[in-house]
């Protein structure tokens, strides 16, 4: 079945702006009619509100007209420089310092639909095979893919004049993840209308926003129906093969169990309103039982960022802070289940999956205030998706989707070499295998024994990438603590020095007198100033990494060539142990992303 059928659907007006137009830059924040001005303002926003610093207006007149609405956000309680966390105002012990079981530690058990590490280019040709390899075919496997951000950035990192073929296998044990990835790739690789910019903007919302416009919702429903219409061409009773987009350049194939079709059937037939969906989302993102955990997180932020963060928790939208939202009237049915329940945890935020330093720089070119992180992210992700869609229109690409437990999928690939379908006949050896942070749950040995045999033996640069987010808790010297007072004091002093330079944050004396917040600061930021590489090496030895590598005839890379060993340290600075970030970049990295150690392993 060809994607040509999409021409029968109303494809225009998939943008986020007035009348479904795309947002190419930040618009004036007067998004409603005023006393004397009709309709939302279509002009560019140039003059920033000096109080909240989150919105811009085209003129003083528009700002005055909008004040009756904007003042509620501008004077938000959490935006005050004198704001105190709930436990301080109420003169009680914070929940996270209390052993009481009346508090929920992690909120509702959610799905991991969004990334928890900044997107990375897993080919990174300039440090590996070379950017001159324009005719070379590449076979990539995202064995625990999560969302599509890493795959998109990897494709976007190929040379502009790439002439080879890139084959991409995406697997995730979560059927909701696989369903979302499949439908997004189908959309972004469709060569027919809508316009690339329009499609990319809609894809941002399909990926990360709780609400859609009516036209975006219609387009999503169309693709669900297209996928449900696919026929089975596989002799295997539990595997489907097919492609909604098939021509001489791009072939989107998919393989998955019947359970995935059941996900699409349930999602496409769901009946719930946006009002009910948002109420359920807020029961997670703004759960009263989690107020101390939220305030601990927000307490490390500047006032405008606190307001922006809470706004996202309230409306679930990735849009500039002052953008009109009245047209977003439909729930995003691939972020809620068939009963209208929000699929993510309260800690999930799209900001965690991208390089915010670059996103903020890009937002500045679109006139977005640097305080509006979600606004900058909107344009950053849109640009990434648009570039991917343009490349999909001219590159030779092939996609395979699967929904299996990672180790079972590896065995499935090994057993399927002899009877693989012709459309996916490229050998089941991969130039890159991304295993995300699954080593935290099953261990690095299990990953290597399952996947190392599938590395491409003919490519000296083939690599398996794994990273850990939890190893510090398993290694006693993974981070500085009171047991090593000299190291701990030195790192803590650097944290306070950085914070003291930010006059809008809690000052040094205040931090030292707030035990709960001080504990949080130590736990999350002190490790950034500690060289934990020796401890990480010890952890890997305890995990028997040297013996496992030897038995599998692979080796651990001494120099990272795909992903930096620590966030904040450039990939080329092999010997650098501690970041030397400026204050602004440190603030961004320490507040808005998760931290982990990364390891490349290759044949």
């Amino acid at each position: 079945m060809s994607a040509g059928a999409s021409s029968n659907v109303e494809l225009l007006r998939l943008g986020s702006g007035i009348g479904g137009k795309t947002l190419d830059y930040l618009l004036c924040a007067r998004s409603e009619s005023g006393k004397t001005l009709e309709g939302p303002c279509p002009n560019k926003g140039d003059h920033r509100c000096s109080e909240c610093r989150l919105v811009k207006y085209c003129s003083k007149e528009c700002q005055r007209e909008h004040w009756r609405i904007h003042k509620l956000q501008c004077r938000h309680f959490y935006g005050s420089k004198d704001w105190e966390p709930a436990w301080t105002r109420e003169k009680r012990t914070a929940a996270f310092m209390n052993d009481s079981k009346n508090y929920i530690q992690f909120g509702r058990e959610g799905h991991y639909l969004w990334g928890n590490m900044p997107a990375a280019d897993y080919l990174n040709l300039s440090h590996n095979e070379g950017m001159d390899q324009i005719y070379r075919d590449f076979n990539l496997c995202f064995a625990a893919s999560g969302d599509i951000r890493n795959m998109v950035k990897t494709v976007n990192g190929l040379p502009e004049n790439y002439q080879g073929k890139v084959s991409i296998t995406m697997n995730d044990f979560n059927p909701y993840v696989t369903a979302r990835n499949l439908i997004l790739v189908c959309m972004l690789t469709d060569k027919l209308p809508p316009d690339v910019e329009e499609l990319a903007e809609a894809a941002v919302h399909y990926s990360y926003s709780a609400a859609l416009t009516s036209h975006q919702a219609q387009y999503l429903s169309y693709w669900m129906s297209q996928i449900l219409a696919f026929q089975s061409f596989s002799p295997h009773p539990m595997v489907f093969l097919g492609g909604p987009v098939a021509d001489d350049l791009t072939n989107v194939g998919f393989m998955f169990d019947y359970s995935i079709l059941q996900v699409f059937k349930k999602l496409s037939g769901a009946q719930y309103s946006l009002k009910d969906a948002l109420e359920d989302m807020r029961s997670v993102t703004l759960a009263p039982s989690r107020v101390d955990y939220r305030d601990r997180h927000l307490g490390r932020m500047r006032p405008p960022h606190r307001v922006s963060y809470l706004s996202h928790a309230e409306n679930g939208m990735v849009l500039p802070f002052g953008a009109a939202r009245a047209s977003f009237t439909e729930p995003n049915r691939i972020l809620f289940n068939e009963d209208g329940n929000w699929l993510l945890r309260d800690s999930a935020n799209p900001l965690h999956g991208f390089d915010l330093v670059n996103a903020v720089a890009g937002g500045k070119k679109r006139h977005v205030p640097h305080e509006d992180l979600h606004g900058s992210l909107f344009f950053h992700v849109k640009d990434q998706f648009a570039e991917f869609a343009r490349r999909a229109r001219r590159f030779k690409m092939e996609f395979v989707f699967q929904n299996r437990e990672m180790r079972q999928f590896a065995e499935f690939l090994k057993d399927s070499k002899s009877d693989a379908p012709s459309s996916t006949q490229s050998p089941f050896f991969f130039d890159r295998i991304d295993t995300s942070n699954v080593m935290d749950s099953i261990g690095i040995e299990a990953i290597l024994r399952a996947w190392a045999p599938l590395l491409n033996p003919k490519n000296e640069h083939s690599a398996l990438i794994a990273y850990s987010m939890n190893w510090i808790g398993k290694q006693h010297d993974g981070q500085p603590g009171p047991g090593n007072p000299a190291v701990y004091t030195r790192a803590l002093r650097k944290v306070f020095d950085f914070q003291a330079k930010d006059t809008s944050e809690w000052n040094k004396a205040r931090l030292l007198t707030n035990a709960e917040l001080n504990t949080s600061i130590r736990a999350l930021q002190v490790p950034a100033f500690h060289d934990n590489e020796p401890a990480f090496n010890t952890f890997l030895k305890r995990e028997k990494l040297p013996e496992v590598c030897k038995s599998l005839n692979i080796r651990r890379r001494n120099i990272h060539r795909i992903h930096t060993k620590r966030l904040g340290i450039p990939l080329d600075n092999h010997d650098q142990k501690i970041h030397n970030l400026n204050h602004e970049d440190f603030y961004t990295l320490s507040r808005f992303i998760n931290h982990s150690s990364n390891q490349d392993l290759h044949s």
Side-chain angles (χ1 to χ4, degrees):
M1 179 177 57
S2 169
S6 61
S7 60
N8 296 324
V9 178
E10 185 178 5
L11 298 175
L12 302 178
R13 294 183 286 170
L14 293 181
S16 310
I18 301 169
K21 295 181 179 179
T22 57
L23 295 179
D24 301 319
Y25 46 80
L26 187 72
L27 293 178
C28 174
R30 185 180 65 77
S31 55
E32 300 88 359
S33 297
K35 292 182 178 179
T36 61
L37 299 175
E38 291 294 328
C41 180
N43 298 324
K44 184 182 298 184
D46 289 317
H47 306 287
R48 181 165 58 176
C49 174
S50 59
E51 290 193 40
C52 73
R53 304 180 67 82
L54 284 167
V55 299
K56 289 185 176 182
Y57 296 92
C58 67
S59 64
K60 290 293 184 181
E61 183 182 14
C62 270
Q63 187 172 12
R64 285 192 298 268
E65 285 277 305
H66 196 241
W67 176 244
R68 64 184 178 85
I69 296 173
H70 177 58
K71 65 182 178 182
L72 298 176
Q73 296 173 323
C74 194
R75 294 175 175 174
H76 198 289
F77 168 64
Y78 275 84
S80 169
K81 294 181 180 179
D82 298 322
W83 170 83
E84 298 272 9
W87 71 81
T88 301
R89 300 194 309 272
E90 298 167 10
K91 295 181 173 57
R92 58 174 173 78
T93 301
F96 50 82
M97 301 291 289
N98 194 329
D99 291 331
S100 171
K101 296 182 179 179
N102 294 326
Y103 295 95
I104 304 173
Q105 186 174 2
F106 294 111
R108 179 194 293 169
E109 182 67 26
H111 299 260
Y112 294 99
L113 306 185
W114 298 337
N116 50 24
M117 284 282 291
D121 175 1
Y122 281 108
L123 272 174
N124 211 334
L125 292 182
S126 62
H127 288 77
N128 293 278
E129 290 87 350
M131 292 297 287
D132 59 344
Q133 300 295 305
I134 62 172
Y135 298 106
R136 186 170 186 166
D137 295 342
F138 291 102
N139 202 0
L140 315 177
C141 180
F142 297 87
S145 65
D147 62 17
I148 66 173
R149 73 193 192 288
N150 290 321
M151 182 274 291
V152 167
K153 185 161 185 177
T154 300
V155 171
N156 289 350
L158 288 166
E160 284 278 351
N161 59 340
Y162 181 65
Q163 301 294 312
K165 178 181 178 181
V166 57
S167 300
I168 298 170
T169 298
M170 300 193 73
N171 175 69
D172 199 283
F173 79 97
N174 188 320
Y176 287 106
V177 172
T178 305
R180 281 167 47 83
N181 291 347
L182 172 60
I183 204 165
L184 283 166
V185 171
C186 286
M187 291 176 180
L188 290 169
T189 55
D190 188 356
K191 292 189 175 183
L192 296 176
D195 172 75
V196 164
E197 294 292 321
E198 192 176 5
L199 179 58
E201 193 159 309
V204 174
H205 296 304
Y206 297 138
S207 299
Y208 301 116
S209 291
L212 305 174
T213 68
S214 60
H215 293 286
Q216 292 167 357
Q218 179 190 21
Y219 192 60
L220 178 62
S221 296
Y222 161 76
W223 273 108
M224 284 188 180
S225 66
Q226 292 291 87
I227 290 173
L228 286 170
F230 298 156
Q231 300 297 315
S232 171
F233 297 103
S234 171
H236 194 292
M238 292 297 289
V239 177
F240 282 79
L241 299 168
V245 184
D247 54 34
D248 58 339
L249 288 181
T250 305
N251 175 36
V252 179
F254 60 95
M255 298 190 300
F256 50 73
D257 297 338
Y258 284 111
S259 60
I260 298 301
L261 285 186
Q262 294 305 313
V263 170
F264 280 115
K265 287 179 181 178
K266 291 177 181 179
L267 293 180
S268 62
Q271 298 292 325
Y272 54 86
S273 67
L274 177 62
K275 177 177 178 295
D276 291 340
L278 291 182
E279 283 183 2
D280 187 84
M281 180 195 76
R282 291 168 190 146
S283 73
V284 176
T285 60
L286 296 174
S289 60
R290 294 280 287 165
V291 63
D292 287 359
Y293 296 90
R294 279 195 302 278
D295 281 1
R296 176 178 62 172
H297 187 57
L298 294 167
R300 301 188 298 273
M301 298 183 191
R302 298 168 184 164
H305 290 148
R306 293 199 292 259
V307 176
S308 177
Y309 229 78
L310 282 173
S311 176
H312 180 264
E314 174 73 21
N315 58 52
M317 298 300 297
V318 173
L319 268 176
F321 188 83
R325 290 172 168 78
S327 61
F328 288 84
T329 58
E330 300 294 327
N332 180 0
R333 299 191 187 278
I334 55 175
L335 279 181
F336 298 87
N337 68 13
E338 59 274 15
D339 297 319
N341 299 135
W342 182 242
L343 289 172
L344 295 107
R345 294 187 174 197
D346 69 335
S347 59
N349 195 295
L351 296 175
H352 299 159
F354 296 92
D355 181 346
L356 292 185
V357 174
N358 285 337
V360 169
K364 185 177 180 181
K365 297 177 181 178
R366 303 289 186 51
H367 301 270
V368 179
H370 69 266
E371 290 87 353
D372 183 6
L373 295 179
H374 288 93
S376 293
L377 183 68
F378 168 80
F379 287 111
H380 178 73
V381 179
K382 175 186 173 181
D383 289 345
Q384 289 287 311
F385 284 167
E387 178 61 23
F388 174 78
R390 282 189 286 268
R391 287 168 178 251
R393 283 156 170 72
R394 66 178 191 272
F395 282 8
K396 296 177 182 178
M397 301 171 67
E398 180 177 85
F399 295 87
V400 174
F401 296 87
Q402 255 294 2
N403 168 227
R404 294 172 183 262
E405 191 274 333
M406 179 191 283
R407 288 167 293 186
Q408 293 177 1
F409 184 44
E411 296 308 311
F412 170 79
L413 292 175
K414 295 169 189 174
D415 294 340
S416 301
K417 289 180 184 179
S418 60
D419 59 355
S422 59
S423 62
T424 58
Q425 189 56 56
S426 54
F428 284 92
F429 290 117
F430 298 100
D431 299 291
R432 302 290 189 275
I433 300 174
D434 168 37
T435 64
S436 188
N437 69 319
V438 179
M439 67 177 287
D440 284 333
S441 58
I442 67 174
I444 189 65
E445 180 177 359
I447 287 176
L448 293 179
R449 294 203 180 280
W451 285 95
L454 293 169
L455 283 170
N456 183 0
K458 297 181 180 179
N459 181 1
E460 63 178 346
H461 299 282
S462 64
L464 182 150
I465 303 96
Y467 70 88
S468 173
M469 300 183 68
N470 301 334
W471 74 272
I472 286 180
K474 302 174 183 178
Q475 183 65 32
H476 70 89
D477 56 348
Q479 59 182 338
N484 192 339
V487 174
Y488 179 78
T489 301
R490 183 167 58 250
L492 184 62
R493 186 180 296 117
K494 290 182 179 180
V495 171
F496 287 148
D497 287 345
F498 263 79
Q499 291 171 335
K501 297 175 185 177
D502 191 339
T503 57
S504 67
E505 290 190 89
W506 300 59
N507 59 39
K508 186 186 301 184
R510 196 174 191 182
L511 281 169
L512 287 170
T513 59
N514 191 310
E516 294 90 344
L517 196 57
N518 189 21
T519 298
S520 174
I521 292 292
R522 289 201 302 265
L524 294 177
Q525 296 179 25
V526 165
F529 296 93
H530 172 59
D531 176 15
N532 58 14
E533 188 168 357
F536 186 57
N537 289 334
T538 301
F539 167 74
L540 292 177
K541 288 180 181 178
R542 285 178 47 233
E543 294 288 303
K544 302 179 180 179
L545 179 65
E547 296 91 330
V548 174
C549 286
K550 183 177 181 180
S551 69
L552 294 170
N553 195 29
I554 60 174
R555 62 184 175 87
R556 175 188 173 189
R557 282 184 170 175
N558 295 321
I559 295 176
H560 286 233
R561 297 192 181 95
I562 292 176
H563 198 297
T564 178
K565 61 184 177 181
R566 292 187 71 175
L567 297 176
I569 297 179
L571 185 60
D572 291 327
N573 293 10
H574 311 303
D575 299 325
Q576 185 174 336
K577 307 298 183 182
I578 306 296
H579 72 82
N580 56 0
L581 297 169
N582 60 43
H583 173 260
E584 195 66 26
D585 290 350
F586 174 77
Y587 170 83
T588 300
L589 285 173
S590 63
R591 268 64 167 190
F592 303 108
I593 61 172
N594 291 306
H595 296 271
S596 65
S597 291
N598 302 276
Q599 204 59 50
D600 302 341
L601 301 151
H602 72 115
S603 57

